[in-house]
Amino acid sequence: MLGYAFMGKAHSNAFKKIPYITWPPPLVPRLVGIAGRDPEAVTDAQERYGYEYATTDWRELIADERIGLFDNSGPNSVHAEPTIAAAQAGKHVVCEKPLGRDASESYDIWKAVDATGVKHLCAFNYRFVPAVRLAREIVDAGELGEIRHFRGRYLQDWADDPSLDTWRFSPSDAGSGALGDIGTHVIDLARYLNGEIASVSGFLKTFVEGRTVDDAVQAVVEFENGSVGTIEGTRLALGRRNALQWELNGSKGSLAFDMERLNELQVFRDDGDRARGFKTVLVSEADHPWWQYWWPPGHIVGWGDTFVHELHHMLQAIATDGDVAPVGATFEDGYRASEVGDAIVRSGETGERVQISYRS
């Protein structure tokens, strides 16, 4: 593991749960080494999470022949070099989103890692919310008919403080602000649920004086399937703690979701009586995605459990030589999300609608 803070904690927690929650596990994770910049903090993380050793040099992890999976949960500025080095050393790799600080860096990571033949997963964990996965199954079954609209937004409020001084507010460390931090989640879910994005018209906005990354992103998009949509992300929506919300409208029905009600999916089917509106489905039944590992119906799961599903999926792909896509996001998905983000930036700079060209 590279990184010991927010994401390092979430991933480590999931690896420790997999052996007894997803019984029998495809592989039993052994927490060998964890790396981070601060000697005291990474040693504390090693003790708390149960790794065998801690180091301030991620190269020690690459050189350790016992390690077969390298999980990069570090800041965006250290996504490229360690992840590529791990793959070239024959280790399977997980990397947090955004894959790179811009589309070019993301492309380079994807191509370098893909050339090694190892399994790679970009950690868009919201694909592994049971309600989101169920929504994808409903769409794939054609139950919504022709998709016409996607609208997604990710609203948080924690960044309304000009004194904040973490790597997330540094262009060299993060690449962008709200765009790469939370907007990229909306972009990935838009692609996951509704297909490729063909064009965008959008812009970024910074509200906090002196800040050098964006506080908010807004975009109108058109998909390759002809549908239209909106993408919004902000870390300044006061009162919204972690509100990732999206809605799909088709010719036969609609779906809607709110992360702050993680176990629920809103479903509308056009059966001739539209006055009845949406139905709330509690996604906790035995035949719902990933529920075979959990509790009786109605006994809900939490945000951290999405990483259990995600990393179990990665271990399954390694154990069976299976595919990470389309359930999980590969590094190509990570690159393509970054390409959409860069197109939004260019649109904001020129004031024009941008057609997206994806590198092969």
Side-chain angles (χ1 to χ4, degrees), residues 21-294:
I21 287 292
T22 64
W23 183 261
L27 294 169
V28 177
R30 176 182 172 189
L31 305 187
V32 177
I34 185 168
R37 293 175 291 184
D38 185 299
E40 183 177 349
V42 74
T43 299
D44 176 70
Q46 175 245 319
E47 294 174 353
R48 284 190 293 136
Y49 304 153
Y51 287 87
E52 296 177 19
Y53 68 86
T55 177
T56 56
D57 186 353
W58 55 263
R59 292 169 183 82
E60 289 188 33
L61 306 182
I62 306 302
D64 193 329
E65 295 182 356
R66 298 173 298 168
I67 294 174
L69 172 62
F70 180 79
D71 188 325
N72 191 335
S73 298
N76 302 346
S77 58
V78 293
H79 282 185
E81 186 182 3
T83 302
I84 293 171
Q88 290 176 342
K91 303 180 193 303
H92 305 289
V93 287
V94 172
C95 186
E96 261 300 330
K97 58 80 214 162
L99 184 59
R101 289 167 290 183
D102 57 26
S104 292
E105 185 173 64
S106 298
Y107 178 81
D108 290 344
I109 296 171
W110 164 43
K111 295 306 292 183
V113 169
D114 195 56
T116 69
V118 303
K119 304 296 180 185
H120 47 85
L121 180 143
C122 188
F124 284 108
N125 65 299
Y126 293 139
R127 291 184 176 214
F128 291 87
V129 175
V132 173
R133 179 61 193 167
L134 180 61
R136 168 66 186 255
E137 293 175 1
I138 291 171
V139 172
D140 285 349
E143 294 179 40
L144 297 189
E146 176 191 5
I147 304 298
R148 295 166 174 168
H149 302 283
F150 170 89
R151 60 190 63 83
R153 61 182 192 172
Y154 202 157
L155 311 178
Q156 296 178 341
D157 68 354
W158 61 275
D160 189 31
D161 180 354
S163 69
L164 289 172
D165 188 27
T166 72
W167 67 266
R168 295 182 187 275
F169 298 95
S170 165
S172 61
D173 287 334
S176 62
L179 172 62
D181 188 15
I182 56 178
T184 189
H185 272 302
V186 184
I187 293 169
D188 181 68
L189 285 180
R191 295 183 59 251
Y192 179 63
L193 294 169
N194 196 31
E196 211 63 80
I197 296 172
S199 68
V200 302
S201 179
F203 61 91
L204 309 181
K205 178 72 175 182
T206 302
F207 293 98
V208 178
E209 185 176 354
R211 187 167 287 170
T212 54
V213 296
D214 55 284
D215 290 319
V217 53
Q218 301 273 349
V220 176
V221 303
E222 183 174 14
F223 293 84
E224 289 184 356
N225 64 11
S227 64
V228 296
T230 58
I231 290 172
E232 176 185 6
T234 180
R235 301 187 292 197
L236 299 183
L238 299 188
R240 297 295 186 182
R241 304 302 289 164
N242 194 43
L244 172 58
Q245 304 162 334
W246 56 259
E247 183 169 328
L248 276 169
N249 307 122
S251 59
K252 296 181 180 179
S254 296
L255 300 173
F257 174 79
D258 185 344
M259 178 60 61
E260 292 182 342
R261 304 186 69 87
L262 180 146
N263 291 270
E264 297 179 1
L265 183 65
Q266 300 293 315
V267 180
F268 174 79
R269 301 181 189 278
D270 190 7
D271 58 3
D273 186 2
R274 298 184 182 182
R276 290 191 292 184
F278 281 82
K279 174 184 178 181
T280 299
V281 176
L282 185 62
V283 185
S284 67
E285 296 297 321
D287 60 346
H288 286 158
W290 297 295
W291 220 263
Q292 69 268 32
Y293 304 123
W294 293 103

Side-chain angles (χ1 to χ4, degrees), residues 14-15 17-30 69 290 292-293 307-322:
F15 280 125
K17 278 188 172 183
I18 284 170
Y20 61 87
I21 287 292
T22 64
W23 183 261
L27 294 169
V28 177
R30 176 182 172 189
L69 172 62
W290 297 295
Q292 69 268 32
Y293 304 123
F307 296 95
V308 175
H309 305 153
E310 180 176 56
L311 295 175
H312 174 274
H313 178 72
M314 180 61 168
L315 295 181
Q316 186 75 43
I318 294 169
T320 64
D321 193 26

